[in-house]
Amino acid sequence: MKDVTIETSLFGVLKFPNSEGILKDFTLELDDKEIRTSLNIWEDFITSKNIAVVKNFLENIPNLYEKAINEIDNNKAKNDVIMDFIESALEEMDEEALLEIFDVDSVDEITTEIFVQILEPRQIWIAPTSSGDIDCTFDFSLPEEYSDQLLVLRFDSQLDLTDISHES
């Protein structure tokens, strides 16, 4: 397949050779916030078979972001993976960093609600899965200068959440 151009409402026109993927930083307006993230589309992946699914993911990034944030927010006190992510991220930082990131006077003021408000998608991946499907993955974290902990949410081509994992 020749070079590919994908026109999107959120990312504009994306041009790249088929044999290369995309790794590009963007500032997106999501949920009334400016969010800086990297978009990664797997190399050798944009084919006539996959292009419609990839474009559908790209057009639905705001919806997927909202689903992800709602999942995190609604399950921050129930889901073991989300709770472990929050605990690990907080434990790896010293008090000074915590006060700076969360803009509080005391570490005791950091609630899970405040924590979730600070999370941002550091990376958005569109890639093949081991089963031959395609998924869109959001890697959420605190600012990377403070934490390498990731809360990873995966969506299938029907835009349904399929997995949540904690990585670092």
Side-chain angles (χ1 to χ4, degrees):
M1 189 174 188
K2 62 183 174 106
D3 291 357
V4 176
T5 300
I6 300 176
E7 294 183 35
T8 71
S9 56
L10 190 61
F11 297 98
V13 176
L14 300 174
K15 295 181 181 182
F16 54 101
N18 179 46
S19 62
E20 296 178 18
I22 289 179
L23 173 54
K24 192 169 184 181
D25 292 334
F26 288 93
T27 300
L28 304 175
E29 184 78 28
L30 296 172
D31 205 22
D32 296 327
K33 295 190 319 188
E34 272 194 6
I35 294 174
R36 186 95 174 127
T37 190
S38 292
L39 175 65
N40 300 280
I41 299 177
W42 208 258
E43 60 191 38
D44 292 320
F45 185 62
I46 303 300
T47 65
S48 56
K49 175 185 165 197
N50 297 336
I51 198 163
V53 174
V54 171
K55 185 167 181 171
N56 188 45
F57 277 135
L58 292 171
E59 292 299 330
N60 280 287
I61 293 295
N63 298 333
L64 296 174
Y65 171 79
E66 185 176 334
K67 283 183 178 184
I69 287 295
N70 286 336
E71 181 70 24
I72 296 166
D73 193 40
N74 293 335
N75 293 296
K76 62 187 173 280
K78 300 183 255 185
N79 182 293
D80 289 340
V81 174
I82 297 171
M83 292 185 315
D84 180 60
F85 166 74
I86 293 171
E87 184 179 309
S88 295
L90 292 173
E91 284 177 357
E92 82 174 356
M93 288 182 278
D94 63 32
E95 184 174 345
E96 185 177 320
L98 291 169
L99 298 177
E100 184 176 327
I101 292 170
F102 295 102
D103 194 27
V104 293
D105 295 323
S106 164
V107 174
D108 296 334
E109 295 176 53
I110 301 171
T111 63
T112 54
E113 289 78 15
I114 291 172
F115 185 96
V116 170
Q117 291 173 1
I118 302 297
L119 284 179
E120 292 188 352
R122 186 183 296 175
Q123 305 238 354
I124 301 171
W125 297 85
I126 299 175
T129 65
S130 58
S131 65
D133 294 326
I134 302 170
D135 71 10
C136 182
T137 303
F138 283 72
D139 291 350
F140 281 89
S141 77
L142 297 174
E144 77 182 306
E145 60 270 18
Y146 296 104
S147 178
D148 68 347
Q149 304 288 320
L150 298 175
L151 183 63
V152 179
L153 287 88
R154 289 180 177 80
F155 295 89
D156 65 16
S157 58
Q158 281 70 53
L159 310 179
D160 294 323
L161 181 65
T162 60
D163 185 48
I164 301 175
S165 63
H166 174 198
E167 301 173 11
S168 67

